[in-house]
Amino acid sequence: MSAIALASLGQDAEDFSEDDGSIALGPSDAFVSSPAVQELASRALAYLEAGYAVHFSGPAGSGKTTLAFHVAAQLGRPSILLHGDHEFGSSDLIGRESGYRRSRVVDNYISSVVKLQEEGRALWTDNRITTACRLGHTIIYDEFNRSKPEANNPFLSILSEGVLNVPGLHGRGEGYIKVHPHFRAIFTSNPVEYAGVYRAQDALLDRMITLYFDHYDRETEVAIAAKKGGVDQARAEKVVDFVRLCRLQGSDPHYPTLRASIAIARVLAARGGEASLSNPVFRWACRDILGRGSQSSPKPGDFTSDTVDELLLQFELEALERAQRMHAHGPANQTACF
């Protein structure tokens, strides 16, 4: 679901970015809602309005980032987006000295006396966290556990004491910044993925409320695939049902994700045809999008082209059997109704 456009972004170009690096968020027709989505959004908003940070935790493709943008838009405040990065340090979040200013005054009021006065001062530049704390923006910290735990230490005092410690400003009488009362933080993370992520410190997790994500129900996935893929309801249902079958039959319960359903639906919308084994576009789209692993030397649990073909045949036969059963029972059911 994260493949859904970040359509909470304002509709006008000038709304996309402010001078302070924030983005203005607003409602969007591209966002797909359902009872399951609304329930998660309502819980998150309740915690945020109570002053707590919210953490969306779940596998890839479960819609964490999209929902984070949607929830942030409901707060009605400018938002600042951060993406976790292993090269981040604390200065990348709160700011750093980025230059030096030197001034010199020559006093020659009395011709026989020359008085010189020089002063040098390092220039400080706020970074995104400091800006959000000063102005009361909403921070959306996507995949925050891709940053090293020590880089996220500034959030400990922000979320608990409402104070940002800025060591670089201690000599200027502004070593501590009081966090704006409207400041809010939304974190996302993927605990399933092991590559390129760090274990978040317990002290930080204890300062936020975690909502755990899983794949959405069938009705929600169909609605999203139809909306984002640009196909009708019937084709969206077939695409989603096949992707869910692959998810059920595969060794990884989190793969394939809703992104695969959207991608297959978009191909069908672009090239036409039904989500059927008789449509070559659907067949090769499923092989290319769902296939994961080497065809020549597959590992146990890999989705190869052969695996996808087998599941496509199984899916088609099951659909045919259901249709035959419905046809066989149709007249009897109609008689009973009369």
Side-chain angles (χ1 to χ4, degrees):
M1 185 177 172
S2 297
I4 296 175
L6 300 179
S8 303
L9 291 171
Q11 299 300 313
D12 299 326
E14 62 267 19
D15 291 338
F16 287 169
S17 180
E18 305 291 344
D19 292 339
D20 54 22
S22 65
I23 50 178
L25 301 180
S28 170
D29 295 335
F31 185 79
V32 179
S33 186
S34 73
V37 174
Q38 284 295 344
E39 194 254 346
L40 279 170
S42 297
R43 287 160 57 192
L45 276 171
Y47 298 137
L48 289 165
E49 289 169 355
Y52 289 97
V54 170
H55 172 211
F56 294 155
S57 177
S62 56
K64 303 182 298 295
T65 306
T66 301
L67 189 61
F69 269 81
H70 175 70
V71 170
Q74 308 308 305
L75 294 174
R77 300 286 300 175
S79 298
I80 291 180
L81 178 63
L82 283 172
H83 293 286
D85 192 313
H86 73 281
E87 294 185 352
F88 269 174
S90 293
S91 60
D92 295 298
L93 299 178
I94 63 175
R96 68 182 74 197
E97 293 179 347
S98 60
Y100 191 80
R101 175 178 293 170
R102 181 181 178 185
S103 61
R104 182 182 185 187
V105 178
V106 179
D107 186 351
N108 195 23
Y109 182 73
I110 302 175
S111 60
S112 60
V113 179
V114 177
K115 182 181 179 181
L116 297 177
Q117 182 179 351
E118 291 187 354
E119 181 181 358
R121 184 175 184 179
L123 299 178
W124 175 269
T125 301
D126 285 348
N127 221 320
R128 284 172 282 186
I129 296 297
T130 308
T131 299
C133 289
R134 288 186 191 272
L135 303 179
H137 294 343
T138 300
I139 284 287
I140 302 173
Y141 198 167
D142 193 37
E143 302 290 356
F144 82 100
N145 59 337
R146 292 187 181 276
S147 300
K148 296 177 181 178
E150 54 268 26
N152 295 325
N153 281 340
F155 282 105
L156 298 178
S157 62
I158 291 173
L159 300 181
S160 59
E161 286 81 31
V163 171
L164 172 61
N165 183 14
V166 187
L169 295 179
H170 277 302
R172 309 175 193 190
E174 199 184 5
Y176 298 94
I177 296 174
K178 186 176 181 180
V179 177
H180 194 286
H182 289 153
F183 170 84
R184 295 294 183 270
I186 304 173
F187 298 81
T188 76
S189 72
N190 179 359
V192 178
E193 191 172 2
Y194 65 88
V197 298
Y198 298 89
R199 184 179 182 274
Q201 59 265 58
D202 293 336
L204 180 55
L205 292 175
D206 192 50
R207 287 164 164 80
M208 59 181 74
I209 296 177
T210 300
L211 299 180
Y212 294 98
F213 279 53
D214 202 346
H215 296 287
Y216 284 118
D217 57 89
R218 177 182 180 273
E219 289 71 20
T220 301
E221 291 194 348
V222 169
I224 294 170
K227 181 77 172 181
K228 298 306 302 178
V231 296
D232 55 67
Q233 179 81 6
R235 284 191 291 177
E237 288 178 351
K238 289 183 179 179
V239 170
V240 167
D241 286 342
F242 180 63
V243 170
R244 290 172 70 91
L245 173 65
C246 294
R247 194 184 301 157
L248 182 65
Q249 297 289 338
S251 59
D252 184 352
H254 302 295
Y255 180 83
T257 70
L258 181 53
R259 289 193 181 100
S261 298
I262 296 171
I264 295 171
R266 284 181 175 174
V267 173
L268 287 179
R271 300 299 295 270
E274 296 298 318
S276 168
L277 192 62
S278 60
N279 181 9
V281 173
F282 180 66
R283 289 202 309 271
W284 53 250
C286 288
R287 290 173 187 153
D288 294 339
I289 294 170
L290 299 175
R292 186 172 72 171
S294 172
Q295 182 70 24
S296 58
S297 56
K299 299 177 182 177
D302 277 355
F303 267 91
T304 64
S305 297
D306 291 341
T307 307
V308 173
D309 284 342
E310 292 172 4
L311 289 174
L312 275 171
L313 181 59
Q314 175 186 336
F315 179 72
E316 195 83 359
L317 290 175
E318 291 176 353
L320 182 61
E321 290 174 0
R322 285 195 299 271
Q324 290 175 343
R325 285 196 300 268
M326 291 179 62
H327 180 73
H329 290 64
N333 290 339
Q334 292 176 2
T335 302
C337 290
F338 290 109

